[in-house]
Amino acid sequence: MVARALRDAGHEVIYTGLHQTPEQIVETAIQEDADLIGLSVLSGAHMTLFRKLVDLLAERDASDIVVFGGGIIPEEDIPVLEELGVAKVFTPGAPTYEITGWVAEHFAEGASA
């Protein structure tokens, strides 16, 4: 749903599908020269997955790729994720216009997610 909303808002979106590893996501983002990675986590593994993603980006000298995400993430975990380097976290029920608006506001014309 978020990928479609971003695409409808004029952003180039590369959707890698469900059950991708952080390694697969980072590799695709680097190959496709992405500006952003949006990660949706519904499994409760958000701390592990976001940390791994940010660490892999740093290892690959790709920390300029901005990470944002959402899913079932407790409010108390959001500041920790932000400290890890996650630029924005959207909680359940966030309207798609809020997400597309954030992307448009922070990543001007030409940004891809």
Side-chain angles (χ1 to χ4, degrees), residues 22-34:
E23 291 84 0
Q24 291 169 314
I25 294 166
V26 167
E27 184 62 32
T28 299
I30 290 170
Q31 286 179 4
E32 297 292 337
D33 196 27

Side-chain angles (χ1 to χ4, degrees), residues 26-65:
V26 167
E27 184 62 32
T28 299
I30 290 170
Q31 286 179 4
E32 297 292 337
D33 196 27
D35 297 309
L36 309 167
I37 294 174
L39 183 64
S40 176
V41 182
L42 303 174
S43 66
H46 53 278
M47 297 303 287
T48 302
L49 293 173
F50 278 107
R51 178 178 280 117
K52 182 70 173 172
L53 196 66
V54 170
D55 288 348
L56 286 168
L57 287 169
E59 287 174 20
R60 298 287 305 272
D61 196 28
S63 293
D64 59 322
I65 299 175

Side-chain angles (χ1 to χ4, degrees), residues 2 9-10 15-16 20 31 34 42-43 51 61-65 69 78-80 87-88 94 96-97 101 106-107 112:
V2 173
Y15 177 69
T16 61
Q20 299 294 303
Q31 286 179 4
L42 303 174
S43 66
R51 178 178 280 117
D61 196 28
S63 293
D64 59 322
I65 299 175
I78 293 173
V80 179
K88 180 71 174 170
T96 55
Y97 68 80
H106 290 86
F107 303 94
S112 60

Side-chain angles (χ1 to χ4, degrees), residues 56-104:
L56 286 168
L57 287 169
E59 287 174 20
R60 298 287 305 272
D61 196 28
S63 293
D64 59 322
I65 299 175
V66 175
V67 176
F68 73 101
I72 302 172
I73 300 173
E75 289 288 333
E76 61 269 15
D77 289 348
I78 293 173
V80 179
L81 291 171
E82 290 171 344
E83 285 178 27
L84 290 174
V86 178
K88 180 71 174 170
V89 176
F90 296 94
T91 54
T96 55
Y97 68 80
E98 184 180 327
I99 300 167
T100 59
W102 180 83
V103 170

